[in-house]
Amino acid sequence: MRAMFPSSALVLILITLGSVCFAFDVTYDNRAIKIDGERKLIISGSIHYPRSTPQMWPSLIKNAKAGGLNAIETYVFWNAHEPVQRQYDFSGRLDLVRFIQDIQRQNLYAILRIGPYVCAEWSFGGFPVWLKSLPGIELRTNNDVYKNEMRIFTTLIVNMLKKHRLFASQGGPVILAQIENEYGNVEWAYGDAGWKYVEWCKDTALGYKLDIPWIMCQQDNAPSPMISACNGWYCDQWNPKSNSTPKIWTENWTGWFKDWGSADPHRTAEDLAFSVARFYQLGGSLQNYYMYHGGTNFGESAGGPYITTSYDYDAPLDEYGNLNQPKWGHLKELHLVLRSMEKILLYGDRVDNNHDKWGTRSVTVYSYRGQRACFFSNADTSQVFTFDFEGVTYHIPPWTTTILEGCYKEVYSTSKVNAQTSIMIKADPEPEGEDDYGSEEAPPLEWQWTTESVMNVDHQGLLAGTHLASNKLLDQKIATNGTSDHLWVLTSFDINMKDPVWGKSKIVLQVKTEGHVLHAYVNGFHIGTQYGETSHFSFVFERAIKANFLKDGKNYLSFLSSTVGYPNYGDHFDTWNVGILGPVKLIAKAFGGDVKKDISSSQWIYKTGLQGAQLGFQSGNSRHARWQVNRRPSNKELVWYKTTFPTPLGTDPVVVDLQGLGKGAAWVNGYHIGRYWASVNSPEDKCSIDCNYAHSYHPEDCNTNCGKPTQRWYHIPRDFLRNDGENDLVLFEELGGTPELVKFKTVTVGSVCLHAYNHQTVTLSCQGGRRFSDIKFASFGLPEGGCSHFRNTRCHAPRTRQIIEDACIGQKSCTFDVSQETFGVLEDCKSQDYRLAVEAVC
Ligand SMILES: *[C@@H]1O[C@H](CO)[C@@H](O)[C@H](O)[C@H]1NC(C)=O
Ligand SMILES: CC(=O)N[C@H]1CO[C@H](CO)[C@@H](O)[C@@H]1O
């Protein structure tokens, strides 16, 4: 326990800044983070500013606050801010200061995880790829070249925030900062140098004299005064090694991310609430939802490799910023209960009474100055926990924590979800200037197209731009510096067609690549395309070259090698190679054995990026593009497509359906909305219809969307759209597909279901100005079944439906008490555990 911020210094700062704003004094003890000397219960959620847009930030933060959070956490994304060494970008989605100020405006705390290694499923874990080109560099270890770059960047961030007085010691919202990230998981792989690096991180951080505590998550041996923190699905059993630091949970995974080729993971509201309630039961004082809003991996920011553009994460706010119900609402109730008990939990005495050796079934009593709070918890996966407490018999269902005010009044149960379930739909948008066109189809889109030119070593476009020559094959990171997914790898070879081996036999091109996608051309003719998978990026490409593609003498060999995100996790992940590293061979399949010609050490020419991108095709109005209307190709690789569309009315989020296309990249009005890969499906058999939450979560537990495109819908934030006039959508199609099925939709609540317990006050809500139009089901009593298959039992209040209709039809939202007073007295009931079930259409 130590004060990080002597009060004399506080006074000094206030005087020197001459500022009217109040500085907060942030310290900690073994129980909690303390603000102005008071222990604080902190419930935080991760929102990564570049995964949404400045227009979205205020409403994301507002919905987080309404969801009961009192802090927002973000990483800082080095490679987004410094894409080229010493050229910085803090504009638009990268305006970190504005994001933190938005948090401040809504009176929330901020937690700043600078890293600058961040993992985060972000390309290269946030490291600029150009770091790899600095001579002598080794990342994440005690290496001077690396430490120098890291220090320059972290110093820049710290100074920028200081300048805007965003640290708590200056009156700002930032109460905690983090350096490095999850290094404890990999430190062993860096030996002695790893430990020296951790010490250096500490010294660097403390050198900034921010007068706020620093954390190092997943770093059990974090050197004092750095606070170690836990990351995981559950952190209730985790305790800090140091007895002077509080129990902090920096990453509580609310769901999981998705790879191209996998199904949609879900983590239930019940399980997530259970993990959080147990964490606070067992002495936790700060926890952060990773993610509270996952958002979108715009541009080429997704990592992996092979992580999708959607980073929805099944978070409480969905990819587009909508409430993900019932998760958002169920957690909100928990947060309000926990925060109402803040003093008792953080200042009280805690007594745990375990009913078995492992504490699977446990009763925790907190008491403080005559006030009490209890947690009854059952981590058994199948048995009900039945016990007597102060003369009352309790039955706690499996995988449930129940919280009792004053230890007698149940105020929350993690397995009783009272919040509405929202069934989201993709609705037809109403275009500007037209009246409601009802069920009529939107007019078909008009498409234009042009092709990407296939480079060769003598191509004019190549010679006009910058390129790189090498007589050995290069790692793609080194050749591109991470500035584009696409790299042309070019050479030429001579063949003497008069030589019987080369003239008469079947000639095969064989290429070993470390991934991720390879397109091969000989003399401009397409020979084939191949890609790797999440678990094995590298592959050997082998295709026959048709005899008439070859010429006597000089032949051009062109590869377009594409990356689908750089790796972001693992010890030394930065040293994994990518791209064509060879060997590259021509093999003549002749009688009497194969004759091989290894051309790996020819003269190679490297050209980063697409020709079309260099000419500005993605902005839609490039004068250099020869857009054509007729004879639109379908299923041809390397084609650019372009169309225009009106801005949908209203406020609901906008998405584009890219069904029918293969793989590529999409831009709206020049904004890169991300990679798409609509032709890759999720596995047929990884989904489960009934999702049982009563066990330790695993990302494969509750999958949906099997056998369908991994990602069919792509988010177009409204700040990318024009207020008046048409918008451009440009696609670069890499594999081949057709744009015929492309459609624009808005995402909104289609219908809602409710299954609430007696004595609750509940609200049903539509979204985006829509109103309730129909009540499909309503029963107060003992209804059975679930959403879309509710049914009455004999225990049913007959007027329920009428009452709900009167309250809700024509309304955007409606609120009522679930009780006999509202719906009428019940007869014919075996139990008094009354519930209200409703299914309503927006
Ligand atoms: C990549 O960036 C580094 C650092 O700025 C620079 O030294 C190197 O020349 C760049 N490489 C290429 C291929 O542009
Ligand atoms: C240990 C580990 O894999 N940590 C990662 C867990 O997941 C989050 C995001 O999904 C990453 O940011 C962590 O680094």
Side-chain angles (χ1 to χ4, degrees):
M1 183 188 332
R2 45 173 284 157
M4 301 278 297
F5 198 90
S7 48
S8 55
L10 178 77
V11 172
L12 190 73
I13 288 237
L14 285 175
I15 294 169
T16 50
L17 293 177
S19 121
V20 285
C21 61
F22 256 111
F24 301 111
D25 176 20
V26 187
T27 58
Y28 62 86
D29 62 16
N30 63 352
R31 202 52 202 89
I33 298 293
K34 290 160 77 175
I35 295 182
D36 289 336
E38 288 281 306
R39 291 177 181 162
K40 269 282 170 198
L41 189 105
I42 294 172
I43 303 176
S44 164
S46 293
I47 299 177
H48 294 159
Y49 54 97
R51 285 178 157 145
S52 49
T53 57
Q55 195 188 63
M56 293 169 72
W57 295 340
S59 75
L60 294 173
I61 296 164
K62 183 168 134 268
N63 283 333
K65 187 175 181 178
L69 302 196
N70 57 5
I72 304 290
E73 180 265 13
T74 184
Y75 279 132
V76 178
F77 297 85
W78 186 1
N79 56 7
H81 293 302
E82 196 176 352
V84 176
Q85 197 180 19
R86 306 295 176 266
Q87 291 181 24
Y88 298 101
D89 186 359
F90 288 90
S91 64
R93 287 185 292 117
L94 299 177
D95 194 344
L96 172 64
V97 165
R98 174 166 168 188
F99 180 70
I100 305 283
Q101 286 170 336
D102 280 343
I103 297 172
Q104 182 174 33
R105 253 173 237 125
Q106 302 201 38
N107 283 315
L108 297 183
Y109 299 122
I111 300 175
L112 188 74
R113 294 167 81 187
I114 300 177
Y117 164 71
V118 298
C119 190
E121 288 69 62
W122 188 268
S123 197
F124 220 39
F127 282 135
V129 172
W130 54 256
L131 286 175
K132 295 298 291 181
S133 298
L134 304 182
I137 199 163
E138 276 179 75
L139 306 191
R140 300 186 84 191
T141 188
N142 194 33
N143 170 283
D144 288 337
V145 184
Y146 166 68
K147 289 190 299 186
N148 184 49
E149 290 298 322
M150 171 166 162
R151 192 177 37 74
I152 290 172
F153 181 72
T154 38
T155 306
L156 178 91
I157 295 297
V158 164
N159 287 344
M160 178 181 285
L161 267 67
K162 266 188 187 168
K163 190 174 139 216
H164 291 90
R165 300 189 186 163
L166 293 173
F167 291 103
S169 43
Q170 305 171 290
V174 180
I175 53 167
L176 291 174
Q178 177 178 301
I179 191 149
E180 244 296 337
N181 182 48
E182 297 193 321
Y183 194 67
N185 293 345
V186 297
E187 189 182 323
W188 58 272
Y190 296 83
D192 227 23
W195 176 243
K196 291 203 181 100
Y197 170 56
V198 170
E199 287 280 343
W200 175 85
C201 287
K202 178 199 76 173
D203 293 339
T204 303
L206 297 180
Y208 295 128
K209 302 201 187 317
L210 295 185
D211 295 316
I212 57 170
W214 284 85
I215 51 178
M216 292 186 86
C217 70
Q218 289 296 89
Q219 188 75 45
D220 270 350
N221 56 0
S224 173
M226 311 304 274
I227 308 177
S228 177
C230 173
N231 287 356
W233 305 109
Y234 306 90
C235 283
D236 50 324
Q237 301 300 322
W238 178 89
N239 284 299
K241 288 234 166 67
S242 155
N243 55 13
S244 62
T245 62
K247 180 165 171 172
I248 290 187
W249 190 2
T250 34
E251 286 193 15
N252 163 3
W253 304 326
T254 55
W256 205 237
F257 58 87
K258 186 163 79 159
D259 294 318
W260 297 113
S262 37
D264 293 1
H266 297 281
R267 187 177 187 191
T268 62
E270 291 93 335
D271 176 46
L272 188 50
F274 175 65
S275 68
V276 174
R278 259 176 81 89
F279 177 70
Y280 287 99
Q281 170 181 8
L282 298 178
S285 58
L286 181 160
Q287 75 102 20
N288 175 62
Y289 291 100
Y290 189 101
M291 301 295 296
Y292 197 77
H293 170 254
T296 308
N297 291 313
F298 296 111
E300 297 176 348
S301 65
Y306 298 114
I307 286 171
T308 56
T309 294
S310 168
Y311 195 64
D312 179 86
Y313 223 87
D314 198 24
L317 300 177
D318 76 8
E319 175 179 1
Y320 319 112
N322 302 312
L323 305 187
N324 176 9
Q325 290 278 49
K327 196 177 263 187
W328 181 87
H330 190 46
L331 294 171
K332 168 183 175 157
E333 287 174 39
L334 171 61
H335 303 152
L336 299 184
V337 165
L338 290 170
R339 288 176 62 188
S340 75
M341 299 173 166
E342 179 176 39
K343 281 266 158 355
I344 309 175
L345 299 185
L346 300 183
Y347 285 93
D349 291 326
R350 175 178 126 216
V351 178
D352 296 321
N353 183 358
N354 289 343
H355 287 235
D356 52 48
K357 200 162 85 197
W358 304 275
T360 307
R361 292 166 301 159
S362 61
V363 168
T364 297
V365 181
Y366 279 96
S367 38
Y368 176 66
R369 295 191 176 162
Q371 285 189 302
R372 295 194 307 163
C374 274
F375 291 75
F376 299 158
S377 182
N378 180 13
D380 195 280
T381 55
S382 58
Q383 306 293 314
V384 174
F385 170 30
T386 299
F387 63 100
D388 288 331
F389 180 83
E390 299 182 349
V392 181
T393 304
Y394 291 89
H395 306 276
I396 309 296
W399 214 251
T400 297
T401 295
T402 297
I403 307 176
L404 294 91
E405 199 179 277
C407 289
Y408 67 91
K409 182 177 165 203
E410 176 179 318
V411 283
Y412 191 78
S413 164
T414 60
S415 60
K416 284 186 192 164
V417 177
N418 294 303
Q420 79 176 34
T421 296
S422 300
I423 317 273
M424 306 306 290
I425 53 162
K426 310 289 189 305
D428 282 325
E430 299 165 41
E432 197 102 44
E434 262 174 65
D435 295 330
D436 187 359
Y437 56 68
S439 56
E440 259 172 65
E441 282 286 304
L445 297 169
E446 284 171 19
W447 290 94
Q448 295 183 291
W449 65 278
T450 185
T451 50
E452 171 70 14
S453 33
V454 174
M455 290 286 136
N456 67 48
V457 286
D458 295 322
H459 193 280
Q460 298 238 307
L462 171 76
L463 299 173
T466 50
H467 54 270
L468 201 73
S470 160
N471 51 17
K472 70 184 218 308
L473 285 156
L474 299 177
D475 183 305
Q476 188 150 341
K477 289 194 287 295
I478 302 295
T480 67
N481 257 345
T483 53
S484 170
D485 270 359
H486 304 288
L487 178 66
W488 285 102
V489 182
L490 312 170
T491 194
S492 63
F493 57 90
D494 287 316
I495 280 198
N496 178 358
M497 300 296 266
K498 284 167 207 121
D499 180 335
V501 173
W502 298 107
K504 292 214 180 65
S505 38
K506 180 175 157 193
I507 297 179
V508 167
L509 172 66
Q510 191 191 66
V511 187
K512 170 103 194 311
T513 174
E514 306 306 313
H516 307 139
V517 182
L518 177 77
H519 305 274
Y521 293 83
V522 172
N523 297 324
F525 295 107
H526 185 225
I527 302 302
T529 288
Q530 193 172 328
Y531 44 84
E533 288 170 33
T534 311
S535 45
H536 22 228
F537 329 135
S538 66
F539 55 90
V540 176
F541 171 94
E542 200 176 280
R543 293 292 154 85
I545 308 173
K546 283 190 193 154
N548 58 339
F549 290 177
L550 289 168
K551 290 186 288 197
D552 197 29
K554 185 175 186 180
N555 289 271
Y556 294 116
L557 182 57
S558 314
F559 300 115
L560 180 65
S561 176
S562 313
T563 45
V564 189
Y566 287 101
N568 54 274
Y569 184 70
D571 63 273
H572 299 100
F573 71 84
D574 59 291
T575 62
W576 307 346
N577 287 327
V578 65
I580 304 166
L581 283 150
V584 178
K585 290 177 185 163
L586 292 164
I587 305 171
K589 302 268 184 192
F591 292 117
D594 296 348
V595 177
K596 295 182 183 157
K597 187 175 162 90
D598 190 325
I599 54 171
S600 315
S601 36
S602 321
Q603 169 84 348
W604 293 96
I605 302 289
Y606 288 93
K607 163 83 181 163
T608 297
L610 300 168
Q611 167 91 347
Q614 194 182 320
L615 297 176
F617 291 7
Q618 68 277 31
S619 74
N621 51 12
S622 162
R623 267 177 277 118
H624 300 285
R626 266 174 286 156
W627 295 105
Q628 305 182 49
V629 180
N630 298 324
R631 295 194 309 278
R632 192 175 77 218
S634 122
N635 270 317
K636 181 168 163 29
E637 81 293 345
L638 311 200
V639 179
W640 293 82
Y641 294 104
K642 179 178 107 155
T643 192
T644 55
F645 64 99
T647 298
L649 287 179
T651 53
D652 278 325
V654 179
V655 289
V656 59
D657 180 359
L658 295 183
Q659 198 186 16
L661 287 149
K663 171 197 178 292
W667 292 262
V668 169
N669 298 331
Y671 293 100
H672 195 331
I673 63 166
R675 301 183 185 106
Y676 70 82
W677 199 334
S679 61
V680 65
N681 281 6
S682 312
E684 293 287 344
D685 56 352
K686 287 271 168 68
C687 292
S688 59
I689 304 158
D690 90 296
C691 171
N692 174 14
Y693 60 81
H695 53 253
S696 284
Y697 176 73
H698 182 275
E700 295 207 339
D701 278 354
C702 295
N703 287 351
T704 59
N705 196 43
C706 278
K708 304 216 178 91
T710 302
Q711 190 181 343
R712 180 176 153 187
W713 307 96
Y714 296 81
H715 184 204
I716 306 175
R718 281 186 178 270
D719 2 0
F720 293 178
L721 294 173
R722 300 196 171 113
N723 289 332
D724 41 15
E726 297 278 285
N727 302 286
D728 295 309
L729 169 71
V730 176
L731 305 172
F732 172 65
E733 172 55 55
E734 223 184 299
L735 299 181
T738 166
E740 240 130 78
L741 302 173
V742 169
K743 278 191 194 68
F744 298 88
K745 299 270 182 177
T746 55
V747 187
T748 195
V749 176
S751 57
V752 305
C753 286
L754 181 82
H755 186 254
Y757 291 79
N758 206 3
H759 310 306
Q760 301 288 327
T761 301
V762 292
T763 298
L764 291 177
S765 301
C766 293
Q767 179 180 305
R770 292 159 66 100
R771 292 160 192 273
F772 286 107
S773 61
D774 187 20
I775 304 296
K776 285 201 155 163
F777 180 91
S779 172
F780 176 69
L782 294 172
E784 290 177 347
C787 193
S788 82
H789 56 97
F790 285 127
R791 54 183 182 274
N792 278 332
T793 61
R794 291 179 54 165
C795 172
H796 160 70
R799 282 182 23 80
T800 317
R801 192 196 186 95
Q802 191 60 53
I803 292 166
I804 302 278
E805 280 179 2
D806 290 348
C808 302
I809 298 289
Q811 304 297 320
K812 292 176 186 166
S813 82
C814 46
T815 299
F816 30 82
D817 292 328
V818 182
S819 68
Q820 297 206 43
E821 285 74 60
T822 310
F823 298 107
V825 178
L826 287 159
E827 286 154 23
D828 247 351
C829 295
K830 279 185 242 97
S831 139
Q832 295 204 349
D833 291 335
Y834 303 137
R835 302 179 302 268
L836 171 68
V838 179
E839 187 176 342
V841 182
C842 287

